[in-house]
Amino acid sequence: MVQRLTIKPGVPLSEQPNVIGMNRWHPSIPPVASIKPGEEIILETLDFLDGQIANDDNPEDVRKVDLTRAHPLTGPIYVEGAEVGDLLVVDILDIGYITPFGFSGIFSKENGGGFLTDYFPDAAKAIWDFHGIYTTSRHIPGVRFPGLTHPGLIGTMPSIEMVHEWNRREAPLAAEGKAKPPYPPTAFLGGLKGDSFDQAAKEACRTVPPREHGGNTDIKNISIGSRIFFPVFVKGALFAMGDLHFSQGDGEISFCGAIEMDGYSHLHFDVIKGGMKKYNLKQPIFVPGPNDPHFEKWLIFEGISVEDGVNYYLDATVAYRRACMNAIEYLQNFGYTGEQAYMLLTAAPVEGRIGGIVDIPNCACTVAIPTGIFDQNILPT
Ligand code: ZN
């Protein structure tokens, strides 16, 4: 029998019947399970907003969401024999949904924002129904596509020195509202209690940014069948994951993002002794899985690093934003509102690429949409 950690969908992490997780990074959080190299485990995980979003047509819950409760992760998992300097090898054997629907949305500019928040300042929501590997949405009619299902967030535990370093380097940004500092009131640190909780909650890192341990990388290609090699920074590796996505476009541009869901991940663990030094690795590497969906034809939108009459120097962020806006404006010719097109780009398996990042002063980026996901021809005729 494979060990399985279970959740109760719709119930916040802090009120789950069993202690199965955490929503901050700190090495003093006690493990919720342990495993030997060569063994498998199934981890169930809550959606990234901790059950705050309802399957209905009203975006009020997205507008008012408490973002400090993100992300409820399942873990940490103690891997026997894993020591600092090793590589933790994680095979994603399977991922699936627990409840047959998910959500994507747009956070309001006042609460969360997103990549295009200046163009789409108000909250919106799209519910997606799952039909096996396919999904459709009553809020974005005329599209259907298979999911490239993956964890938005997956990683090993930072050491206490790393926690301190992350807080140090993010503090100046946090002071300007551009990063999320530690926030004890909604911290949930597994089984940690009393003084140890108070001490850790003050410095435990938020789960929002990706960091050297992986974390919230939102890489859609870390999907079923992938093998990931994580650096081990603490004894036992203390692995954790969550934020499962049924599907996501490159960039997860709306931030409320992918098609977010409650789900399970079936994992296999192994350890490569001394692997960090042997392979000179400081951050994770991965091999994508074998069963990505295949799309025959794509329509690709270009963007350059010029916005509102300003020429930005080799800025891939601006160029990608322009590519996305060009796609959204184009899709409005086919019956979609701007909000619908934005929520489609964040959720569908669109590919973002960097063209040239050397041709001064402009960078070129592209966003590619598989044309087969639409029930109509979206090419110019
Ligand atoms: Zn997510």
Side-chain angles (χ1 to χ4, degrees):
M1 267 297 272
V2 175
Q3 186 178 183
R4 183 173 189 130
L5 300 189
T6 58
I7 58 156
K8 231 177 159 179
V11 175
L13 181 65
S14 61
E15 293 165 26
Q16 286 286 321
N18 301 309
V19 174
I20 44 109
M22 58 193 215
N23 61 13
R24 302 287 190 270
W25 293 106
H26 197 283
S28 65
I29 301 171
V32 294
S34 74
I35 188 169
K36 292 189 178 69
E39 287 184 345
E40 298 172 15
I41 191 168
I42 297 171
L43 303 181
E44 294 187 2
T45 49
L46 292 162
D47 80 76
F48 97 113
L49 290 177
D50 205 23
Q52 296 180 79
I53 307 303
N55 181 0
D56 62 22
D57 306 325
N58 186 349
E60 201 54 23
D61 47 8
V62 172
R63 191 174 288 117
K64 299 249 169 76
V65 71
D66 180 357
L67 282 167
T68 69
R69 283 167 54 188
H71 301 76
L73 306 181
T74 299
I77 309 298
Y78 186 94
V79 183
E80 290 179 27
E83 290 169 292
V84 177
D86 293 346
L87 289 177
L88 180 68
V89 187
V90 179
D91 286 310
I92 300 182
L93 303 177
D94 194 17
I95 304 178
Y97 53 83
I98 291 176
T99 42
F101 65 90
F103 64 89
S104 58
I106 303 173
F107 286 136
S108 78
K109 194 172 179 180
E110 285 74 44
N111 185 23
F115 193 48
L116 307 177
T117 199
D118 290 336
Y119 303 94
F120 300 100
D122 197 14
K125 179 164 86 174
I127 298 296
W128 297 84
D129 293 307
F130 304 148
H131 317 277
I133 66 166
Y134 294 99
T135 189
T136 56
S137 172
R138 63 184 181 269
H139 298 119
I140 307 176
V143 292
R144 175 179 185 264
F145 52 83
L148 180 51
T149 305
H150 61 276
L153 199 161
I154 183 167
T156 46
M157 189 67 79
S159 66
I160 191 67
E161 292 77 17
M162 291 166 75
V163 165
H164 294 156
E165 170 61 10
W166 292 353
N167 284 329
R168 181 203 66 76
R169 73 189 185 194
E170 289 171 21
L173 291 170
E176 294 176 42
K178 294 175 177 168
K180 303 287 179 193
Y183 185 71
T186 51
F188 188 77
L189 307 179
L192 214 54
K193 298 254 165 1
D195 287 350
S196 339
F197 174 90
D198 295 341
Q199 189 57 38
K202 269 189 286 187
E203 58 184 17
C205 293
R206 299 284 291 280
T207 54
V208 177
R211 300 187 183 93
E212 290 87 335
H213 64 147
N216 195 24
T217 48
D218 288 315
I219 299 168
K220 75 181 191 322
N221 303 87
I222 300 183
S223 60
I224 300 169
S226 293
R227 169 171 289 183
I228 317 146
F229 302 82
F230 290 102
V232 174
F233 300 112
V234 297
K235 191 172 171 357
L238 299 184
F239 169 89
M241 70 181 296
D243 184 22
L244 290 188
H245 296 160
F246 186 87
S247 172
Q248 181 211 290
D250 282 339
E252 203 194 15
I253 56 174
S254 85
F255 183 31
C256 182
I259 300 179
E260 310 287 346
M261 66 178 199
D262 299 319
Y264 67 86
S265 306
H266 185 169
L267 308 170
H268 176 278
F269 286 86
D270 225 322
V271 170
I272 297 175
K273 299 305 292 178
M276 285 178 71
K277 190 162 177 219
K278 188 171 172 192
Y279 295 104
N280 199 19
L281 286 177
K282 298 177 188 68
Q283 286 188 227
I285 56 174
F286 71 96
V287 182
N291 55 350
D292 292 6
H294 293 288
F295 301 103
E296 270 177 34
K297 290 189 177 146
W298 301 77
L299 185 58
I300 304 185
F301 295 85
E302 301 182 3
I304 54 170
S305 53
V306 175
E307 194 166 52
D308 298 332
V310 179
N311 212 131
Y312 295 87
Y313 182 70
L314 298 181
D315 189 327
T317 304
V318 176
Y320 194 55
R321 183 160 57 229
R322 292 322 310 167
C324 291
M325 282 306 296
N326 288 339
I328 288 167
E329 282 163 16
Y330 179 83
L331 288 173
Q332 291 177 61
N333 294 312
F334 299 90
Y336 295 105
T337 65
E339 284 77 12
Q340 285 175 318
Y342 185 17
M343 289 192 289
L344 184 58
L345 276 196
T346 199
V350 304
E351 299 269 347
R353 297 269 165 86
I354 294 175
I357 199 161
V358 290
D359 301 310
I360 58 170
N362 291 351
C363 177
C365 284
T366 58
V367 65
I369 304 177
T371 55
I373 70 174
F374 296 94
D375 66 2
Q376 59 179 315
N377 177 21
I378 62 153
L379 295 185
T381 51

